[in-house]
Amino acid sequence: MATCMRTVWKVLGGCQRHLLRAGAYTSASQIPTRHLSSKIVATLKSLKKVKKDDTQKKEEKKEKRIIDDKGRHKPFGKTAWAPVDDVYIRTYYPMTIYDAAEAIDMLKNFQVLDFTPLKQPVYIDLRLNMELEKKRKVDPFVSTVHLPHPFKTEINKVLVFTEDANQAKAALENGAVLAGGAELIQPILDDEISADFYVAVPDILPKILPLKNKLRKKFPKSKRGSVSTNISELLEFFKASHEYNVENNCYVKTQIAMLDMPTEHIFANLKAVLMNVCSHRPADMGPFIERAIIASRTSEALWFNSEDIVRKPAEKEEDEEEEE
């Protein structure tokens, strides 16, 4: 009898140790504490506390490590500040960031050295900081900018919504592809009529609401500057305007010029696009453009400094005073 009792106690002890080793603390916690020793109860409580502390640490936001390379003989994790030869592995050195005008001149030099066509588009690729406080983000947007030196050979097709016969006549005389009222709704829904931009006078907006789902971001809105009583001014802007949008939540990829244009014209178009992009930045945010790249169709991509272009003269003077 005594042998049987010892065997039973050994089995029960083994089951208890197995539960503890397997981490089945939930099941073990369901065992009444009066059947467990005080040491085991204390161990279970300490394990629960450690587990709770670990969960709280994971929930805490990890701060991004900022490495200051000022005063270092080489950048952190790199071989040197700049290569000493023309042939090198790019990942071993920090990315070279050029001035915008210098980058444009380099694109023109690449075209001459590579014997590529002179008439080729010039693109920019921007990465925007869309993060706001409390896990909020800036909504992706579509914007229209009037380039000082348009690169398109054809003017944009602009359709004007108005029920005033005189306004419709003036719109057609100023270059509108079509002008009319509610009678244009069904042909647009049936894809019989299309245009690059749609503008309207304020009075007709309630009557063209059925086109909102069809036109989506092209639907006339005051916020986008496509609603006004001044038809001639609308047409002058949208006939030669350039449209771009934010892709994949934070990227702007768009053409700004042709490589055969003068450097001054390419730079002016670049500045117009950058200033328009930064106009969508919330007032309480810092730098909006995190990374800026410019390239032609056949050249390599060049990183350039966009802050000197978008900063206001007053901000530049303040920075210069701080440096002094």
Side-chain angles (χ1 to χ4, degrees):
M1 184 67 181
T3 305
C4 294
M5 288 301 295
R6 284 196 297 270
T7 304
V8 170
W9 282 112
K10 287 181 180 180
V11 171
L12 291 175
C15 292
Q16 186 175 338
R17 286 193 298 273
H18 177 72
L19 288 174
L20 292 175
R21 289 172 184 171
Y25 306 124
T26 304
S27 301
S29 63
Q30 295 174 358
I31 301 174
T33 55
R34 63 178 179 271
H35 296 303
L36 299 175
S37 64
S38 58
K39 291 184 178 180
I40 296 176
V41 173
T43 304
L44 289 174
K45 288 182 179 180
S46 62
L47 288 173
K48 287 182 181 179
K49 186 177 180 180
V50 171
K51 187 176 181 181
K52 187 177 180 180
D53 294 340
D54 292 341
T55 305
Q56 291 177 352
K57 288 180 181 179
K58 288 180 181 179
E59 292 177 354
E60 292 178 357
K61 187 177 180 180
K62 294 182 179 179
E63 296 182 359
K64 187 177 180 181
R65 183 184 178 189
I66 300 176
I67 300 174
D68 188 7
D69 284 332
K70 293 181 180 178
R72 292 175 58 93
H73 66 283
K74 66 175 184 177
F76 182 81
K78 303 292 182 180
T79 302
W81 283 105
V84 296
D85 200 350
D86 294 336
V87 181
Y88 59 93
I89 301 176
R90 180 174 291 181
T91 55
Y92 291 170
Y93 303 91
M95 184 64 66
T96 303
I97 300 178
Y98 303 94
D99 291 334
E102 182 183 2
I104 295 171
D105 289 335
M106 290 180 67
L107 294 181
K108 290 182 173 291
N109 292 334
F110 292 157
Q111 181 271 324
V112 175
L113 296 173
D114 297 338
F115 299 99
T116 54
L118 181 60
K119 291 186 177 181
Q120 55 178 304
V122 178
Y123 303 96
I124 59 171
D125 184 349
L126 309 176
R127 185 177 66 204
L128 309 181
N129 177 19
M130 308 287 279
E131 299 290 338
L132 295 174
E133 294 181 356
K134 297 181 180 180
K135 298 182 179 181
R136 295 184 297 115
K137 293 185 178 181
V138 180
D139 294 330
F141 54 86
V142 177
S143 187
T144 306
V145 57
H146 190 277
L147 298 177
H149 305 283
F151 56 86
K152 293 181 180 179
T153 56
E154 298 179 358
I155 63 173
N156 297 320
K157 297 179 181 179
V158 185
L159 187 148
V160 180
F161 288 108
T162 179
E163 290 184 329
D164 189 319
N166 294 327
Q167 288 180 337
K169 182 179 178 181
L172 294 174
E173 290 175 354
N174 283 276
V177 67
L178 199 61
E183 69 276 5
L184 299 177
I185 294 177
Q186 194 57 45
I188 294 175
L189 292 174
D190 295 337
D191 293 327
E192 296 176 3
I193 298 175
S194 63
D196 297 319
F197 296 98
Y198 299 83
V199 300
V201 295
D203 297 339
I204 201 174
L205 286 179
K207 298 181 180 180
I208 62 173
L209 285 177
L211 292 174
K212 197 166 186 179
N213 292 333
K214 176 69 175 179
L215 300 181
R216 296 188 179 183
K217 294 182 179 180
K218 290 186 176 183
F219 188 82
K221 284 188 177 181
S222 301
K223 188 177 180 180
R224 298 194 186 113
S226 54
V227 176
S228 175
T229 55
N230 193 336
I231 300 297
S232 59
E233 184 179 339
L234 285 177
L235 288 171
E236 184 181 355
F237 177 81
F238 283 99
K239 282 193 302 182
S241 61
H242 177 68
E243 187 179 63
Y244 67 89
N245 64 297
V246 178
E247 305 174 3
N248 299 326
N249 298 321
C250 66
Y251 293 98
V252 173
K253 301 176 182 179
T254 185
Q255 182 181 351
I256 61 167
M258 297 294 291
L259 192 59
D260 60 341
M261 294 171 59
T263 301
E264 296 78 12
H265 292 183
I266 299 177
F267 183 84
N269 285 357
L270 173 63
K271 183 176 181 180
V273 174
L274 294 181
M275 295 297 291
N276 188 270
V277 169
C278 290
S279 67
H280 296 272
R281 176 184 63 181
D284 56 345
M285 282 188 64
F288 195 42
I289 301 176
E290 291 184 336
R291 185 262 291 148
I293 296 176
I294 187 170
S296 66
R297 176 174 290 174
T298 59
S299 73
E300 64 176 281
L302 300 175
W303 292 41
F304 69 94
N305 185 7
S306 62
E307 284 299 311
D308 291 340
I309 300 176
V310 300
R311 280 191 305 176
K312 298 178 182 179
E315 294 177 355
K316 291 182 179 179
E317 291 178 0
E318 291 178 1
D319 293 342
E320 290 176 358
E321 290 177 359
E322 289 178 359
E323 289 178 359
E324 292 177 357

